Amino acid sequence: MSKAVICDIDGVLLHDNQLIDGAKAFIERLLANDTKLVILTNYPAQTPQDLQNRFQTAGVSIPESCFYTSAMATADFLKRQSGNKAYVIGEGALIHELYSAGFTITDINPDFVIVGETKNYNWNMIQHAARFVAEGAQFIATNPDTHGPNMSPACGALCAPIERITGRKPFVVGKPSAWIMRAALNKMGAHAEQTLIIGDNLRTDILAGFQAGLETILVLSGVSKEQDIEMVPFRPNYVYPNVAAIDII
């Protein structure tokens, strides 16, 4: 039986907006074989349409239905909770997913404080978010990443001052959370024991797969290097230089 595949984007398939060598042939092979595929990203600031366009521009066509983001997973998670008002620090893609899931975006007595990625972050946002969390709003982070390229602050860094002020840590939806892995498996109708995850980051992709009971493939074309494997208490099942070298799917 062919394996279902969960695949990260940055450092695995793309560097910036350029395809990594061999990525086009790899994706096209999976699609041609009707492999169950979810392309999963912790980055919540792009919609599936944005991601489809990003790949199209790079030179490969991927169905919009293959993409699943931490913003989509956050909306799916919150639909299962009580409350429908959210104070959001984040970009349009996250707000779009929350609107689509029936949430009201407000700074009046919200049930949730949700932090994603944004370049527009200021003192007032920190104060509002901290006050709402202190008053009992549920604190949710789309992902744990602290920074992106060129040390650009990411969700984990934006959550940090709110954590320090309130003494409360957010529930993190994105990798390595087992929750986003289950959501991705549900999206493609696959079981953990028949699925493998391909990623470039030991502490998010590979840890997520390990915790959720998936086979794991580390590619060395992104964040983690071979020597980093000794630094973590879990091991990827397979290590390849890049997706072009993967010969078990």
Side-chain angles (χ1 to χ4, degrees), residues 37 71 77 106 148 156:
L37 174 65
F77 171 75
T106 182

Side-chain angles (χ1 to χ4, degrees), residues 109-216:
N109 195 24
D111 304 300
F112 303 99
V113 167
I114 303 166
V115 181
E117 308 282 351
T118 183
K119 294 188 175 83
N120 302 305
Y121 190 62
N122 60 42
W123 190 95
N124 281 334
M125 290 177 178
I126 297 169
Q127 192 227 354
H128 273 94
R131 182 166 64 83
F132 296 142
V133 169
E135 289 172 354
Q138 297 298 316
F139 186 15
I140 311 290
T142 58
N143 67 83
D145 303 73
T146 54
H147 60 280
N150 303 315
M151 289 292 123
S152 55
C155 181
L158 306 187
C159 289
I162 303 163
E163 291 182 42
R164 290 297 298 272
I165 294 166
T166 63
R168 289 182 49 194
K169 290 194 175 299
F171 175 80
V172 178
V173 174
K175 299 173 288 186
S177 151
W179 199 90
I180 199 170
M181 302 307 291
R182 281 200 299 277
L185 290 168
N186 289 341
K187 178 175 168 60
M188 61 181 171
H191 296 290
E193 56 273 17
Q194 273 102 43
T195 304
L196 52 81
I197 183 168
I198 305 166
D200 68 310
N201 189 323
L202 283 162
R203 295 178 187 279
T204 54
D205 308 310
I206 305 306
L207 178 56
F210 178 76
Q211 291 186 145
L214 278 61
E215 278 189 278
T216 56

Side-chain angles (χ1 to χ4, degrees), residues 1 11 16-17 24-25 41 49 52 109 125 136 138 145 151 168 170 173 178 192 212 215 226-227 230 248:
M1 178 180 168
D16 296 323
N17 291 313
K24 178 179 166 73
T41 178
Q49 297 96 317
Q52 183 186 42
N109 195 24
M125 290 177 178
Q138 297 298 316
D145 303 73
M151 289 292 123
R168 289 182 49 194
V173 174
E215 278 189 278
E226 197 148 17
Q227 59 269 28
E230 299 305 317
I248 59 162

Side-chain angles (χ1 to χ4, degrees), residues 1-8 12-13 26-27 29-31 33-40 65-68 181 184-185 187-199 214-217 243 246 248-249:
M1 178 180 168
S2 65
K3 294 276 186 186
V5 174
I6 297 173
C7 189
D8 183 43
V12 178
L13 301 174
F26 176 73
I27 294 166
R29 186 172 92 234
L30 294 183
L31 294 173
N33 292 339
D34 291 326
T35 304
K36 287 183 176 178
L37 174 65
V38 166
I39 297 177
L40 179 68
S65 59
C66 289
F67 295 104
Y68 195 62
M181 302 307 291
L185 290 168
K187 178 175 168 60
M188 61 181 171
H191 296 290
E193 56 273 17
Q194 273 102 43
T195 304
L196 52 81
I197 183 168
I198 305 166
L214 278 61
E215 278 189 278
T216 56
I217 295 178
V243 289
I246 295 173
I248 59 162
I249 306 172

